[in-house]
Structures are given as structure tokens and as C-alpha cells.
Amino acid sequence: MQYFPIFIDTTSLTCLIVGAGSVAARKLELVLKTEAQIIVVAEHIDSAVATLAQSSQVTIHQRKFKDSDLANIGMVFVCTADAVLNQHISVQAKQQNILVNVVDKTQLCQFITPSIIDRSPITIALSSGGAAPVLLRHLRQKLESIIPQGISKLGAFAQASRDTVKRALSSVTARRNFWEGIFEGDVAELVEKNQHDKAQALFDKTLAATVSGEKHVGEVYLVGAGPGDADLLTFRALRLMQKADVVIYDRLVSPQILELVRRDAEKLYVGKAKSLHTVPQNEINTLIVEKAKQGQRVVRLKGGDPFIFGRGGEEIASLVDAGIGFQVVPGITAANGASSYAGIPLTHRDHAQSVVFATGHLKDDTVDLNWSALAHANQTIVFYMGLTGLSIICQKLIAHGLSKDTHIALIENATMPEQRVVAGTLNNIESLAQNADIQPPALIIVGSVVSLHSSLNWYNSQKTKIEP
């Protein structure tokens, strides 16, 4: 390891920047994030440097560099185009034990600046020693995508609570185990969501329970898994899935998404197939409550979005009644996922100025909907769970004013590699669906926008069947 990574306390540091061009501006912007006092020396001052120098941390000397500028300096960045001057400053700084960085000249540097992910007080620095800057940038982008923005709040919370925990728990091991539970659990989620009072109350309760050996009640996360494609999960959904003790999931959660759940989590299937309810809803509600009361982190993983035909409202009502904390993580609903992957915009200025989501779920062999409100030519209708009632849906829409030639599409296994789209009209879609043997899960889209499918379809087009 050629470069030893360290973090320098900047509270009493004075940093010199020689040069005031665009490169110097980038260094100045970086150092301004610290508590250091900054001196800039240059004959010509770039406008970007002048703007940044309005900070009280910065003093500018518009003149040539002098050796005396290194007096009482702890760190220097050399950002000039004068190679002779750059080498001279490097030699002088090293002789005086001043940390020196000459931009783009690693052989003249005593230190190099890493790529930084700033979530102060949490700071992550990465370096390739100049060997692979593009790879370094690639790694930083990956880390940026998985480290929550709210981690800074969690770092500050931990800093403020550190002495309290140290007084309460004398064992290093006990403190480590306690903090691991905090960072992986509900307190961290509350802090990151700015619910500080709730976080503090739960933290105090958890610490007291740890000291006394009691077990606290867990929390439930109602998580939307999206339409099927694992790439469409939100970062928050993925993070909670990988922290869960128990995952209760339904039939519309794809195997690819289940693969992302924490390996040692308990996985409980409560799915519902067409005309077959594996577990009644009231039993699902009871199961969620029971697992949370055992002190476990419970993820209720639902296909699509929990609040759009997902019975999420019913489930959290039971949690409210039981006094159990919960959070809701939205997901990409099936309508958005299916329409996007089928190349069918739900709204379009030339076709539809409104969109309606409706359930096509049969009850007593009927689809009880406000058909007169649905049957409008300039409106898109999306039916969830409507495959069984397809015949009734087509009949009712025609009876209430839609033309039998109105475009309609069935989308099976939306967003997945096996996605199929069958498009036709209200008059012929039943026979097309039968010939194609369309099976649930399938979404129905009705309206003029479906006519755009043939030209806008970008995904899996070889499995599309269309009849004008």
C-alpha cells in the first residue's frame, strides 16, 4: 500500500492553495467543506474562485507566490501551470514537513486526494493511487446508490448517544451488539426519515430493554415490490428486504425479487391465486401482528404498490389496533410497469386526458363498477385482476357507449422476460386471449392509447400479438 489513508483534523488547520484557475476552484470547493482556514495565492483570480472566496474561511492574495507563504501552513495544494514553480513549492513544503499535493503530478505529491462520499459525519474515501481513476469513479457511483442520504443523520444521532450507551453498557461486546441492532433496525429507519422524537423514544426503550434483558416489539414495513422486474425495486425496498427477520410475501412477488431477501430471513408465503385464496386476509393480518410482537422486523412484501389494490390499508389498520409501529414503502404499481414495458402510455395528448384504475375482480359473478363513468372515449382504463371478468368488462363498456372497435390490450407477466402482450378490440379480445392462452397475472388496458403499442413497443416485442 503506497498511500496510507488518514483523516486529518481541520479545526486548526491552515491550507494554502497556489493558483486560482478552474483546477484550483475544484480544490477550494472541496476544502471549504472542512473547518480549515484557506489562503489563496495567485496573480490572476478565476471568477469561480472569486465567488467561492466570499466565504469567511478564505483569504486571497492576488500576487506571485513567495516562499514566506508557506509559514504556519499545514497543507498546500499547488494548482499552477508553471512546472518549475510547482516543483519548487513541492521541495520547499516537504523540507518544512508540510503536506503537499501538486495537481496531476503524483511524483511531486506527499499526499493525494481521494474520491469522497460525503455524508458528514460519515465520510468515505476511495483511492486507486492514480492507477485506475475510471474504475474508481465506477465504484463510487455504486456506493453512492446504496448508501442512504440519511446516513449522515444516523451518524450524528449515534455521536450524540455514544456516551449514554457507554455508561449503560460496560461491556465492549454488549455495546457493539447493541449498536448493530440499532443500525439495522427501526431506530435507524426513523432517524433517516427525520422522525427524531420517535427514534429517540424507541432508542431509549431499546437501551433500557437491553440493560434489563427484555425484548422490544418489532416494526412492520409494508413494501411495494413493483410489477416483477427486480431492477424496478426502490433502494429503500431493497435495503429493508435485506434487514428483515421475517418476509411475508404474496404470489405477485417474483422469484428474482425473493432472491434479494436476506438469506437467513424467515419467508412466509400467503399468496392468492385466481379463485383460490391460500390464506384469508384476516389471518394474514394476525400473522403480521404476531411476528412483530415477537420483536422481529417484518417486511410485508406485496406485488406492485401496497395501496393500489394491495389491501395495504386493511393490513396497517390491524397494526394500528395492535399498537405496532409501521412504515409504508411505495412500489411501482402494475399499471405503470405494464404500460411502460408494453409501450402504451397511459395518458397522451392525442388519445387520453385521464386514466382510471379499477378492479375487475368478480364478486358473485359480476363486476360491480360505475360503467357510465368508465366508458369515455378520451380516457384510459386499467383493470387489475380482470382476466376472469374479461367478457363482462367488454360487454359493459360497449353497452355504456364505447365502440366495439375500442382498442384493448392484455399484458401477461408484465416487466418480466416472459412478458406477453395481446392487443385487439373490445369485439375480438376474448377470442385472442383464448387463442394465446393468456394466464394471470395479467393487466387489462382499454383506450385509444393501446393503438400506440405497435409503434412504441420496445420490450420483448417478439412475444406480442396484435389484431387490428
Side-chain angles (χ1 to χ4, degrees):
M1 184 169 61
Q2 181 180 357
Y3 294 98
F4 183 75
I6 60 172
F7 288 87
I8 298 171
D9 184 359
T10 62
T11 52
S12 58
L13 180 74
T14 300
C15 176
L16 173 66
I17 299 177
V18 182
S22 59
V23 174
R26 290 197 296 271
K27 298 300 181 184
L28 176 57
E29 185 176 16
L30 183 64
V31 181
L32 275 171
K33 294 181 179 181
T34 74
E35 298 181 22
Q37 292 299 308
I38 307 163
I39 298 173
V40 178
V41 175
E43 291 185 78
H44 306 287
I45 308 298
D46 185 88
S47 59
V49 172
T51 300
L52 292 169
Q54 294 177 18
S55 167
S56 59
Q57 287 178 252
V58 183
T59 301
I60 288 186
H61 298 304
Q62 192 168 355
R63 55 169 172 75
K64 290 184 177 181
F65 168 82
K66 299 185 295 186
D67 287 351
S68 59
D69 289 325
L70 292 173
N72 301 314
I73 296 296
M75 176 188 295
V76 58
F77 287 97
V78 185
C79 312
T80 82
D82 187 334
V84 175
L85 177 60
N86 292 349
Q87 184 167 8
H88 173 76
I89 296 174
S90 174
V91 171
Q92 292 296 313
K94 289 176 181 178
Q95 288 176 352
Q96 298 177 51
N97 294 319
I98 299 170
L99 293 172
V100 59
N101 175 278
V102 180
V103 176
D104 292 333
K105 293 291 183 183
T106 53
Q107 67 272 23
L108 298 179
C109 295
Q110 194 175 18
F111 75 96
I112 57 176
T113 52
S115 179
I116 295 173
I117 299 173
D118 185 7
R119 303 283 197 276
S120 297
I122 306 302
T123 306
I124 301 170
L126 303 94
S127 174
S128 68
V134 176
L135 176 59
L136 190 66
R137 186 164 62 247
H138 176 71
L139 292 174
R140 177 184 171 181
Q141 289 171 348
K142 284 187 173 294
L143 286 173
E144 288 275 16
S145 70
I146 63 174
I147 298 173
Q149 291 292 330
I151 202 72
S152 60
K153 300 174 190 141
L154 187 58
F157 183 90
Q159 183 179 31
S161 306
R162 186 179 180 192
D163 289 343
T164 300
V165 174
K166 193 171 183 178
R167 286 193 297 269
L169 301 172
S170 58
S171 163
V172 173
T173 300
R175 291 198 296 269
R176 183 181 67 246
N177 291 339
F178 172 79
W179 279 117
E180 286 178 352
I182 290 296
F183 295 145
E184 293 179 356
D186 306 330
V187 172
E189 294 298 326
L190 290 169
V191 170
E192 290 170 10
K193 287 300 176 185
N194 290 319
Q195 296 179 295
H196 189 274
D197 291 343
K198 287 184 177 180
Q200 188 64 58
L202 182 57
F203 178 88
D204 295 341
K205 183 178 179 180
T206 305
L207 181 57
T210 301
V211 172
S212 64
E214 296 177 6
K215 196 169 187 177
H216 72 283
V217 174
E219 186 165 11
V220 176
Y221 305 102
L222 199 63
V223 175
D229 184 350
D231 284 345
L232 298 180
L233 278 172
T234 64
F235 291 140
R236 183 166 172 75
L238 179 61
R239 189 168 75 251
L240 293 175
M241 287 162 54
Q242 293 177 342
K243 291 166 59 173
D245 300 309
V246 180
V247 175
I248 301 172
Y249 67 99
D250 62 32
R251 191 175 73 94
L252 298 179
V253 176
S254 70
Q256 294 90 329
I257 288 175
L258 283 176
E259 280 294 316
L260 300 175
V261 170
R262 199 178 92 187
R263 295 296 179 197
D264 58 344
E266 182 182 9
K267 302 177 187 68
L268 301 174
Y269 174 69
V270 293
K272 299 176 178 66
K274 183 176 72 170
S275 303
L276 176 63
H277 285 213
T278 306
V279 181
Q281 186 62 51
N282 65 323
E283 292 185 20
I284 296 175
N285 299 346
T286 301
L287 177 63
I288 296 170
V289 169
E290 287 178 349
K291 290 297 183 181
K293 283 185 174 180
Q294 293 170 9
Q296 304 197 70
R297 290 187 296 266
V298 182
V299 165
R300 173 63 172 112
L301 196 57
K302 307 175 77 70
D305 181 275
F307 280 4
I308 300 182
F309 302 120
R311 299 191 178 183
E314 298 175 38
E315 293 177 356
I316 64 173
S318 66
L319 297 172
V320 172
D321 292 341
I324 293 171
F326 65 89
Q327 297 181 38
V328 180
V329 181
I332 296 177
T333 187
N336 285 336
S339 62
S340 297
Y341 274 56
I344 302 173
L346 293 179
T347 61
H348 190 286
R349 287 190 298 174
D350 297 332
H351 295 269
Q353 288 74 54
S354 63
V355 58
V356 178
F357 296 168
T359 176
H361 182 65
L362 287 172
K363 185 176 182 180
D364 300 326
D365 295 323
T366 63
V367 183
D368 187 17
L369 296 171
N370 185 348
W371 295 105
S372 58
L374 294 176
H376 290 285
N378 294 323
Q379 178 171 270
T380 303
I381 317 166
V382 181
F383 290 96
Y384 288 69
M385 301 167 287
L387 195 57
T388 300
L390 179 60
S391 176
I392 296 174
I393 289 171
C394 293
Q395 292 171 18
K396 291 290 188 180
L397 290 175
I398 292 172
H400 285 78
L402 284 187
S403 167
K404 64 180 182 180
D405 295 322
T406 300
H407 292 272
I408 181 172
L410 308 180
I411 308 170
E412 176 188 281
N413 292 315
T415 77
M416 301 299 291
E418 59 271 23
Q419 172 181 300
R420 291 195 299 161
V421 180
V422 173
T425 66
L426 292 177
N427 193 46
N428 65 15
I429 193 64
E430 289 180 70
S431 60
L432 292 175
Q434 290 174 359
N435 292 338
D437 192 27
I438 294 294
Q439 299 293 323
L443 202 79
I444 302 171
I445 301 179
V446 180
S448 176
V449 290
V450 175
S451 65
L452 301 172
H453 165 69
S454 58
S455 58
L456 302 184
N457 180 34
W458 60 273
Y459 180 78
N460 215 14
S461 58
Q462 72 276 15
K463 292 189 177 180
T464 297
K465 297 188 178 184
I466 304 173
E467 184 164 320

